[in-house]
Amino acid sequence: MTDPRTDELRAEVTAALPAALELYLRLHSDPELSGAERRTAAAVAAALRKRGCEVTEGVGGHGVVGVLGDGTGPNVLLRAELDALPVREETGLPYASRTDGVMHACGHDAHLAAAVGSMDVLARLRERWRGTVTVVAQPAEETLTGAEAVLADGLYERFGTPDTVLAQHLAPFPAARVAHAETVLAAARTLRVVLHGPGGHSADPAGAANPVEAAAAVVTGLRAAVGADASAAVGVLHAGTAANVVPDRATLEVSVRAGTAAAAERAAGAVRELACAQAARLLPGHPPEVEVTARAEPTVNDPRWLATVRRAHAAALGPAAVLPWRPSMAAEDFPRYTAGGAIPAVYWMLGCVGREEWRRARAEAPGREFTVLPPNHSPRFAPAAVPTLRTGITAMAGAALACLVGVSEL
């Protein structure tokens, strides 16, 4: 026999699902890049107001804060992200992006719709909890700068310091499943490297030190430089304007990932040393510029609250729906909400692959399904909307209820 409270939660999720799906489809078709999420923010703000939230816009850029409750008692914060990626969508979906070269390829649209749907459920179940639930729709997560901006704009001073912070993220495993681990995501550093040279004529390359050659040496030397406990990849390389002109600069943007903050710092230092060494060798007299433009610490869950959330998910979704998670080298700015670990946080992964798609992947690559499924950031990333949102709303609302009760019992 199921718990009547679980049955009630599931019934309210079903009631909230159509409006959440409508919001998801709207957001997916109209994505906006980091720092430019004006329409997305307005749509989320309007949706939260309809759920009875007191809404503040323009927090840390285009950030939106919605508050449900009386401002007293326990405070649980739910976080989702507004921004999309500079990716041209190739899913063929009827609700695909209408903006060329911009796509919700990481699932932020689903995170937003699930967060709004969770507030809908929590409003419907208001008699079951006391305190405050604060939802933050954060800008600029993809650049790892949005959380810092929202916090610097006085998030906790203006809306209260939460007792715990919750978030979830799509990943390519079966929808209707969630996955947990104590350490979920890696540390990251983003570096901008500018290599300078005198420039010159391509007819005399020996007479003009070429920053492109130095950039190539940096790219090919990254793996050895950062070592086995980290990874580094160049996502952007800009140089030159014409084939017959040796450019006077080359710019690289490098993403460094590691399991710990210390390893990420070491790897970032190794990238700096590599750039300086290649500049000294190939561009004598022209030292490079190396700047860390963004950083993220590992996403590590509070063990006590992780256990609370896992129990809530097992009750709401069924024990078989709660899976272990192998720590990923993806990174997030979510840890900033913990104030250096002073505020407990729980972050889990949310499956988004439809049943038939998962079966096809298993038939094609048994035991290696992830190798054939489009991952996050792929132009073919296409979550199964209904089961993903149903699970996401259930997981977030159930976790929030469990944490509200848990804080009350402290």
Side-chain angles (χ1 to χ4, degrees):
M1 181 180 296
T2 61
D3 187 329
R5 293 175 300 176
T6 299
D7 292 339
E8 185 182 24
L9 172 62
R10 291 172 178 168
E12 297 300 354
V13 170
T14 297
L17 184 58
L21 177 61
E22 182 180 0
L23 177 63
Y24 169 74
L25 299 178
R26 175 181 175 183
L27 296 177
H28 188 88
S29 66
D30 188 23
E32 296 173 291
L33 294 174
S34 304
E37 313 98 337
R38 187 181 307 275
R39 296 185 305 278
T40 306
V44 171
L48 288 171
R49 287 191 181 96
K50 289 181 180 179
R51 275 73 180 174
C53 296
E54 182 178 340
V55 175
T56 303
E57 299 178 67
V59 180
H62 292 302
V64 177
V65 178
V67 179
L68 186 65
D70 57 14
T72 62
N75 186 338
V76 173
L77 187 147
L78 317 180
R79 181 278 210 153
E81 317 95 308
L82 293 165
D83 53 337
L85 284 160
V87 173
R88 179 173 288 106
E89 184 161 354
E90 298 176 1
T91 62
L93 293 168
Y95 52 88
S97 171
R98 298 192 304 265
T99 304
D100 188 40
V102 183
M103 176 191 174
H104 271 297
C106 202
H108 293 183
D109 47 355
H111 305 165
L112 290 167
V116 171
S118 299
M119 296 301 267
D120 194 347
V121 170
L122 292 168
R124 294 167 185 267
L125 298 177
R126 188 67 183 86
E127 75 286 350
R128 279 181 50 178
W129 57 277
R130 70 175 187 87
T132 304
V133 181
T134 303
V135 61
V136 176
Q138 176 201 305
E141 186 280 326
E142 294 293 356
T143 59
L144 301 179
T145 59
E148 182 177 9
V150 166
L151 289 162
D153 201 11
L155 177 66
Y156 292 164
E157 293 79 6
R158 296 164 63 183
F159 303 100
T161 300
D163 294 288
T164 190
V165 184
L166 306 175
Q168 58 188 349
H169 202 294
L170 264 60
F173 62 93
R177 302 287 187 272
V178 294
H180 293 278
E182 189 163 322
T183 298
V184 186
L185 302 175
R189 304 291 183 267
T190 303
L191 296 92
R192 183 173 184 265
V193 178
V194 183
L195 299 161
H196 298 279
H201 200 297
S202 60
D204 184 24
N210 194 337
V212 177
E213 295 179 8
V218 171
V219 172
T220 56
L222 277 175
R223 181 173 298 181
V226 301
D229 63 346
S231 67
V234 174
V236 176
L237 199 166
H238 291 304
T241 57
N244 62 346
V245 177
V246 175
D248 62 359
R249 68 170 55 200
T251 301
L252 304 91
E253 293 185 21
V254 184
S255 178
V256 170
R257 310 294 175 104
T260 66
E265 284 295 314
R266 287 195 298 271
V271 173
R272 182 184 300 274
E273 292 175 4
L274 174 64
C276 290
Q278 297 302 338
R281 182 173 70 91
L282 297 169
L283 307 168
H286 299 278
E289 302 170 45
V290 183
E291 175 189 11
V292 176
T293 58
R295 63 182 65 234
E297 305 314 320
T299 300
V300 180
N301 286 324
D302 179 272
R304 178 178 180 275
W305 289 105
L306 173 60
T308 296
V309 170
R310 186 185 284 120
R311 286 194 298 270
H313 286 171
L317 299 169
V322 182
L323 308 175
W325 175 255
R326 181 179 179 181
S328 167
M329 292 301 279
E332 259 268 22
D333 62 3
F334 175 74
R336 290 194 176 275
Y337 291 96
T338 71
I343 300 170
V346 183
Y347 185 105
W348 63 90
M349 308 307 292
L350 175 63
C352 65
V353 180
R355 184 177 301 173
E356 291 305 315
E357 185 180 6
W358 184 255
R359 286 176 177 169
R360 287 195 297 270
R362 293 189 68 179
E364 184 177 343
R368 299 181 295 109
E369 294 86 358
F370 293 104
T371 65
V372 297
L373 288 166
N376 302 63
H377 294 211
S378 163
R380 297 181 294 111
F381 185 67
V386 172
T388 298
L389 290 177
R390 183 184 294 276
T391 307
I393 296 169
T394 305
M396 185 63 83
L401 286 168
C403 289
L404 285 163
V405 172
V407 172
S408 299
E409 292 176 348
L410 290 178

